[in-house]
């Protein structure tokens, strides 16, 4: 894990250096790269959007590096990743997640207190534009997820340690859409077998086949540097030993410039692996080019 | 049952949003019926100030400076002020060239167009145009993008 952290930091610095050597930033407007979602790639915190990471336009390369922590007290998720965007058309991302469960690990004397997952993502903008023309931006995304500490999930009914999520996202920035403020809306539909986004494996004793779930984000850009929003993410419910709830969050995002953004959120994650009422704070820092 | 009705509700809202986008984009090309946006932009003095600031930034921007290399910037200022006045519901007639004619043979690509818009936004920020007026003006101008790019 330390090696992947070093890699992320180096690549992040590379992005920053690249942006300072070039004449200023890539051309897309501030905040149009979105944030980084916990599985990597451009989006809100818990929902992938149709946006392509970074600020690239036709013929340009861009991208983003991020580090995120979500902490409910009983659980902690650290997620860090890198995304490359090309021509505002194609996005590739790799993300490493580390999920710690100190409460359960000690209460149940589990053999391990952390589950890791790697997510490799690709997203293709199919049609439309976030801001201009008639159609919202519509993108097709795929996430290959591999859960790397599968012993405990297998013992509670998970069927597989890796699988692929597919999603279709439609995003639109409505200029002046909310009392003169710009309004961003996103709707994502996902096909998945992941338990708790894959951290507890894929498929289960209750349900092993794919579920189609809906996810949505809404954000108001208060001015050029601040946004507030909310998200909702439906979840499948595959494991018999513990019920899985939909997720929701409210967030504040700060974009002091086109390079750095910081997001803070409060998330209601429901029941996770039998522990009820999981409410978590969320902090994410993103560097973009 | 709860799960499928929630997905259904989201899908319906998504579909409604798409339909609304299509309707709005068809409507927003027309200039507004009253001059409230023009007044919020600062009237003639306000528009003149941020257009001048935008031109200064464009000429200074290495991405797009070449587009203004042998242009009459005074005339450009006059034309832009008049056009923005018209587009924001002000008391002006715009009698300049069409967008396509004005940008012919410049071959403005997406990156250059974004740079033009970004500098315009920075100019409005610098002249303290209220954020709501900025966004409403951008919403009014946005449908012209395909008339400006790739001519």
């Amino acid at each position: 894990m330390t090696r992947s952290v070093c890699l992320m930091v180096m690549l992040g610095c590379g992005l920053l250096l690249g942006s300072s050597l070039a004449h200023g930033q890539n051309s897309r407007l501030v905040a149009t790269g979105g944030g980084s979602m916990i599985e990597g790639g451009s989006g809100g915190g818990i929902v992938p959007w149709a946006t392509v990471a970074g600020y690239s336009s036709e013929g340009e390369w861009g991208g983003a590096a991020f580090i995120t922590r979500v902490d409910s007290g009983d659980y902690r998720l650290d997620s860090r990743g890198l995304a490359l965007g090309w021509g505002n058309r194609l996005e590739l991302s790799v993300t490493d997640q580390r999920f710690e469960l100190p409460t359960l690990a000690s209460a149940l004397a589990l053999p391990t207190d952390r589950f890791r997952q790697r997510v490799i993502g690709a997203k293709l903008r199919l049609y439309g534009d976030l801001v201009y023309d008639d159609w919202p931006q519509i993108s097709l995304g795929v996430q290959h997820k591999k859960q790397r500490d599968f012993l405990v999930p297998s013992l509670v009914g998970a069927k597989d340690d890796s699988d692929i999520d597919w999603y279709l996202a439609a995003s639109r920035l409505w200029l002046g859409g909310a009392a003169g403020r710009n309004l961003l809306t996103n709707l994502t539909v996902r096909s998945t077998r992941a338990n708790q986004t894959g951290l507890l494996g894929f498929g289960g004793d209750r349900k092993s086949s794919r579920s189609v779930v809906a996810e949505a984000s809404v954000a108001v850009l208060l001015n050029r540097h601040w946004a507030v929003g909310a998200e909702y993410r439906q979840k499948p419910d595959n494991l018999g030993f513990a019920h899985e709830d939909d997720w929701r969050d409210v967030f504040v995002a700060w974009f002091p410039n086109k390079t750095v953004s910081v997001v803070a959120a409060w998330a209601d994650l429901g029941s996770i692996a039998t522990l009820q009422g999981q409410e978590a704070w969320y902090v994410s820092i993103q560097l973009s080019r | 049952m709860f799960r499928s009705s929630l997905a259904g509700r989201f899908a319906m809202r998504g579909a409604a949003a798409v339909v609304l986008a299509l309707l709005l984009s068809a409507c927003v090309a027309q200039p507004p019926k009253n001059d409230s946006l023009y007044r919020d932009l600062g009237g003639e003095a306000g528009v003149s100030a941020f257009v001048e600031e935008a031109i200064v930034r464009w000429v200074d921007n290495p991405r797009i400076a070449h587009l203004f290399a042998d242009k009459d910037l005074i005339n450009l200022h006059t034309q832009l002020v008049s056009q923005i006045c018209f587009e924001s519901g002000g008391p002006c007639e715009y009698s300049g060239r069409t967008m396509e004619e004005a940008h012919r043979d410049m071959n403005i690509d997406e990156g250059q167009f974004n740079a033009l818009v970004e500098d315009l936004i920075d100019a409005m920020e610098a002249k303290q145009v209220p954020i709501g007026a900025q966004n409403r003006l951008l919403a009014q101008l946005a449908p012209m993008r395909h008339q400006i790019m790739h001519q």
Side-chain angles (χ1 to χ4, degrees):
Chain A
M1 195 214 59
T2 333
R3 209 178 308 159
S4 71
V5 171
C6 287
L7 186 64
M8 297 304 171
V9 170
M10 275 168 43
L11 287 164
C13 291
L15 274 179
L16 262 184
L17 194 61
S19 70
S20 62
L21 288 175
H23 289 293
Q25 262 285 5
N26 263 336
S27 54
R28 269 194 279 141
L29 302 178
V30 70
T32 57
S36 290
M37 57 101 50
I38 51 168
E39 295 158 336
S42 167
I46 60 175
V47 176
W49 295 350
T51 45
V52 170
Y55 291 109
S56 64
S57 288
E58 289 174 311
E60 296 171 346
W61 281 94
F66 79 94
I67 184 163
T68 294
R69 169 164 290 184
V70 187
D71 196 330
S72 73
D74 293 323
Y75 297 109
R76 180 159 73 228
L77 176 68
D78 281 318
S79 184
R80 54 208 69 194
L82 186 71
L84 282 181
W86 179 78
N88 195 23
R89 175 67 65 182
L90 176 67
E91 175 190 281
L92 301 170
S93 63
V94 59
T95 301
D96 280 334
Q97 297 175 322
R98 179 192 176 91
F99 179 62
E100 290 174 11
L101 42 163
T103 303
L104 276 188
S106 66
L108 305 177
L110 294 177
T112 178
D113 65 348
R114 56 103 172 93
F115 301 151
R116 294 163 302 163
Q117 174 165 249
R118 169 163 285 181
V119 182
I120 296 175
K123 182 192 302 177
L124 182 68
R125 177 169 69 92
L126 297 176
Y127 201 72
D129 192 273
L130 183 67
V131 180
Y132 300 105
D133 306 329
D134 297 329
W135 281 80
Q137 184 153 327
I138 298 172
S139 296
L140 179 68
V142 59
Q143 296 170 327
H144 177 271
K145 299 178 171 178
K146 181 155 175 69
Q147 207 273 13
R148 296 154 70 198
D149 299 293
F150 191 59
L151 174 60
V152 172
S154 70
L155 295 176
V156 296
K159 295 293 184 201
D160 297 293
D161 67 348
S162 76
D163 207 277
I164 291 177
D165 281 11
W166 291 92
Y167 64 86
L168 195 65
S171 310
R172 188 69 171 180
L173 182 76
W174 312 82
L175 293 167
R181 281 8 187 216
N182 295 340
L183 174 72
L184 188 140
T185 60
N186 176 86
L187 177 68
T188 298
V189 175
R190 178 195 301 256
S191 164
T192 180
R193 297 175 64 232
N195 309 319
Q196 297 293 3
T197 76
L199 296 167
L200 297 182
F202 303 86
D205 50 325
R206 190 205 295 249
K207 178 175 181 179
S208 185
S209 61
R210 288 184 168 276
S211 301
V212 176
V213 291
E215 307 169 1
S217 308
V218 154
V220 175
L221 278 62
L222 301 173
N223 55 38
R224 299 292 160 217
H225 300 294
W226 291 91
V228 295
E231 302 186 282
Y232 194 93
R233 177 169 175 162
Q234 276 191 317
K235 312 281 272 340
D237 197 13
N238 301 328
L239 295 171
F241 93 107
H243 179 59
E244 179 168 341
D245 282 322
D246 297 346
W247 285 357
R248 68 201 84 194
D249 71 35
V250 291
F251 65 85
V252 174
W254 179 46
F255 313 91
N257 52 52
K258 280 173 81 169
T259 301
V260 181
S261 64
V262 180
V263 180
W266 176 88
D268 174 1
L269 308 176
S271 173
I272 300 179
T274 76
L275 297 184
Q276 310 284 341
Q278 293 300 308
E279 296 175 351
W281 55 262
Y282 164 114
V283 173
S284 182
I285 298 173
Q286 176 183 265
L287 301 175
S288 305
R289 184 221 174 334
Chain B
M1 186 189 72
F2 167 80
R3 209 173 285 279
S4 64
S5 72
L6 192 63
R9 262 188 278 157
F10 273 122
M12 271 182 51
R13 280 181 194 157
V18 170
V19 170
L20 194 58
L22 291 171
L23 290 175
L24 280 178
S25 63
C27 293
V28 84
Q30 305 304 314
K33 301 253 189 332
N34 61 52
D35 68 348
S36 65
L37 174 56
Y38 183 61
R39 282 186 283 113
D40 291 343
L41 291 170
E44 188 185 348
V47 173
S48 178
F50 73 71
V51 168
E52 178 180 338
E53 179 69 25
I55 293 174
V56 165
R57 286 167 185 267
W58 290 337
V59 165
D60 257 349
N61 187 333
R63 279 177 177 274
I64 49 177
H66 66 282
L67 298 173
F68 302 92
D70 49 5
K71 299 288 181 285
D72 177 350
L73 299 179
I74 308 285
N75 181 53
L76 176 63
H77 179 267
T78 307
Q79 297 294 337
L80 274 178
V81 170
S82 161
Q83 186 183 23
I84 289 175
C85 168
F86 173 72
E87 291 293 339
S88 62
C92 307
E93 304 260 329
Y94 177 65
S95 55
R97 296 178 291 172
T98 65
M99 284 291 100
E100 288 98 333
E101 286 170 353
H103 298 92
R104 184 126 308 146
D105 294 330
M106 289 183 162
N107 220 0
I108 296 172
D109 68 21
E110 194 178 79
Q112 291 163 345
F113 181 83
N114 288 337
L116 289 166
V117 175
E118 191 172 56
D119 282 346
L120 174 63
I121 291 172
D122 288 345
M124 290 194 285
E125 287 275 294
K127 294 303 177 188
Q128 294 172 318
V129 176
I131 184 87
Q134 291 187 36
N135 293 334
R136 284 153 59 209
L137 177 63
L138 292 171
Q140 197 62 26
L141 299 177
M144 296 177 192
R145 184 175 83 140
H146 70 275
Q147 298 166 323
I148 293 172
M149 271 173 45
H150 297 311
Q151 296 300 324

